[in-house]
Amino acid sequence: IMQEKPAKPVFDISKQPSRKLQRSITRFHNADLKERLRMIETAEGLLHDLLNEVELDGDAICKLLCRCAGWLHPPGSFEAKHVSSTEDTAGAAVSEPSDLQRRVRRLLILALSSLDLSDTTTYRAVETAVLHILELLQGKETSFSGNGKSLAMRQWRQLRELLVAEA
């Protein structure tokens, strides 16, 4: 009996995250709110520049995607929902954690939308990031299958659709 092999192997990334991904997760987790905001703003600026170049630099977008995937918190987690209860004296100068997660999701959606994950070379370059995001979504599919209108739900649904269509 011949059995078809899946096109792309599925690894359990939760057991063996790559060193780069683990460093990215740790660096973001250990950063304070201002540092996280600066990291996200830098990544947003870089992605904006990359997407507006005459010739798309897929390698640079892949590297950015792999770095930023580690910044994503699982949907519905305390970190993703937590809103700072203390007001910064400068007012809105520091974004709240939930706003940062919205920005991370938007960054990942833009980066993924610009890549062709059906291309084997591209997929391999971002495989750890893709599997990490899918791992965060594992068991949460039902949360995003309805027509929830919140921005977070729409962004998670969009991320899942971008990854599942290609993975």
Side-chain angles (χ1 to χ4, degrees):
I1 299 172
M2 290 184 62
Q3 292 182 339
E4 288 184 34
K5 291 185 179 182
K8 296 178 180 87
V10 178
F11 301 107
D12 188 353
I13 194 85
S14 65
K15 292 179 183 165
Q16 286 287 323
S18 75
R19 281 193 181 124
K20 282 184 179 179
L21 179 61
Q22 193 58 54
R23 266 197 312 266
S24 175
I25 292 168
T26 303
R27 195 173 292 133
F28 193 76
H29 179 75
N30 291 337
D32 66 25
L33 212 49
K34 286 183 181 178
E35 291 169 330
R36 288 180 182 187
L37 179 61
R38 194 168 35 254
M39 291 166 75
I40 292 170
E41 285 173 344
T42 301
E44 286 171 336
L46 178 58
L47 183 61
H48 179 268
D49 292 346
L50 288 169
L51 293 177
N52 288 303
E53 286 183 4
V54 176
E55 195 170 317
L56 202 65
D57 184 351
D59 291 340
I61 294 172
C62 288
K63 285 179 187 172
L64 184 64
L65 175 69
C66 289
R67 184 173 8 138
C68 297
W71 303 350
L72 197 58
H73 294 300
S77 70
F78 173 75
E79 292 88 353
K81 286 181 178 174
H82 177 66
V83 175
S84 182
S85 58
T86 56
E87 285 294 319
D88 188 69
T89 53
V94 177
S95 292
E96 297 171 341
S98 57
D99 181 53
L100 295 185
Q101 284 299 297
R102 176 188 58 78
R103 290 172 71 174
V104 170
R105 288 189 301 267
R106 185 181 63 210
L107 189 67
L108 294 171
I109 289 166
L110 287 171
L112 283 165
S113 299
S114 69
L115 297 173
D116 176 11
L117 296 184
S118 64
D119 176 67
T120 307
T121 307
T122 303
Y123 183 81
R124 284 192 183 131
V126 297
E127 185 172 25
T128 55
V130 168
L131 294 175
H132 175 69
I133 297 167
L134 288 173
E135 179 81 16
L136 293 177
L137 283 166
Q138 203 166 19
K140 311 265 193 219
E141 290 84 359
T142 53
S143 307
F144 307 110
S145 56
N147 8 329
K149 302 268 189 270
S150 82
L151 177 60
M153 285 181 70
R154 288 196 316 264
Q155 285 181 324
W156 278 110
R157 205 169 19 249
Q158 199 173 355
L159 270 172
R160 189 192 66 214
E161 287 165 4
L162 283 166
L163 297 175
V164 172
E166 304 294 350

